[in-house]
Amino acid sequence: MAALSHSSAAALFKIGVEQAAGIEISRRSPDEIRPPGIRVHRRPSLQGGWYGLYDGIPITTPVQTLIDLATRHDTPRMERAMNEADRLGLVRTDDLRKALDGHPGEPGVARLRRIIDIATFRYTRSELERAFLPLVRRAGLPKPRTSVWVDDYEVDFHFPDLGLVIETDGLTYHRTPAEQKKDRERDQAHTAAGLTCLRFTHGQVRYEPDHVVRTLKATAAHRLRR
């Protein structure tokens, strides 16, 4: 059995992160079959249920397609592909994370799992403060007020001397339109009051602390110049 895979499968699903350069197919048989103009991936180790039909065309499943794409593309491109797959109803991100357990050892699985875990990581409130405050010190900022009300909204961290508000988001996937609207309204209220509002995910605080520190330093320097 042969099925569209890799960039060709991504193009059919409309989650492509690159221009498909020719047709790619995968098959479990190790036979040396090379049709002209078609790139054949011989993959006898593929797990059961690796393909299905989409618009009547044999194709690797959305999960398998994302795994295959992860062997080629960096984190930002894979995040876009995963978001598109989620948005189109091909596979929800939380279901994808569970499905990866059924593909042990496959190239691409470790990268996908790492991307998902970073994006969905969540601290408790007390854990967040314990993790974030050392980054504040590294950036040379004064100790913030925590869990306080500013402009009629409770904020995670407030630096009154800098006119800076920090909000942290626990989950980047599956936020409802109502939640997103509320976040925008909060940010707009702070901006209208002359404050700068930064948002970091819990995953950034946990896995990308250097980025958080650099952003805090640059923002504080800008606020002090003003």
Side-chain angles (χ1 to χ4, degrees):
M1 179 64 201
L4 280 182
S5 66
H6 295 79
S7 60
S8 295
L12 185 59
F13 283 135
K14 295 184 174 59
I15 58 171
V17 291
E18 64 177 338
Q19 183 84 24
I23 299 174
E24 292 186 87
I25 65 172
S26 288
R27 58 198 311 267
R28 294 180 72 174
S29 171
D31 297 342
E32 293 273 352
I33 297 178
R34 297 184 179 180
I38 297 178
R39 182 178 178 184
V40 180
H41 300 272
R42 296 185 300 278
R43 309 168 68 185
S45 63
L46 283 173
Q47 304 295 318
W50 63 278
Y51 78 95
L53 294 177
Y54 189 77
D55 288 342
I57 300 173
I59 187 172
T60 49
T61 64
V63 171
Q64 186 67 57
T65 300
L66 289 168
I67 291 172
D68 295 340
L69 292 177
T71 65
R72 299 178 173 180
H73 299 296
D74 58 16
T75 295
R77 289 189 177 186
M78 288 311 304
E79 287 176 338
R80 289 198 298 272
M82 290 160 51
N83 281 333
E84 280 301 289
D86 194 326
R87 184 181 68 82
L88 294 170
L90 296 170
V91 57
R92 288 174 58 90
T93 303
D94 45 3
D95 292 334
L96 172 61
R97 179 63 178 82
K98 296 173 185 175
L100 295 180
D101 294 336
H103 296 260
E106 280 194 47
V109 167
R111 169 173 284 181
L112 273 185
R113 184 177 286 124
R114 183 166 57 251
I115 293 170
I116 296 171
D117 288 349
I118 290 174
T120 60
F121 181 82
R122 187 174 182 86
Y123 282 116
T124 64
R125 181 176 289 275
S126 60
E127 289 171 340
L128 175 64
E129 290 186 13
R130 286 197 295 270
F132 187 72
L133 292 178
L135 304 186
V136 170
R137 291 194 294 270
R138 280 179 54 190
L141 273 63
K143 186 175 180 180
R145 302 164 66 215
T146 61
S147 303
V148 294
W149 288 82
V150 178
D151 300 325
D152 297 324
Y153 292 99
E154 186 178 15
V155 303
D156 294 324
F157 303 96
H158 179 218
F159 299 81
D161 292 341
L162 294 173
L164 176 62
V165 165
I166 304 291
E167 297 280 27
T168 55
D169 300 319
L171 300 174
T172 59
Y173 292 103
H174 306 315
R175 293 182 64 78
T176 67
E179 290 173 320
Q180 294 174 19
K181 179 176 180 292
K182 185 177 180 180
D183 287 343
R184 300 293 80 76
E185 289 174 347
R186 291 162 64 95
D187 294 348
Q188 290 159 5
H190 296 320
T191 299
L195 303 175
T196 292
C197 181
L198 291 179
R199 286 187 176 273
F200 297 108
T201 66
H202 289 205
Q204 285 178 311
V205 174
R206 171 65 177 84
Y207 295 102
E208 303 172 25
D210 291 342
H211 166 76
V212 174
V213 170
R214 286 194 301 270
T215 304
L216 289 174
K217 283 183 176 180
T219 304
H222 177 70
R223 294 294 303 183
L224 288 172
R225 285 196 299 270
R226 294 182 60 184

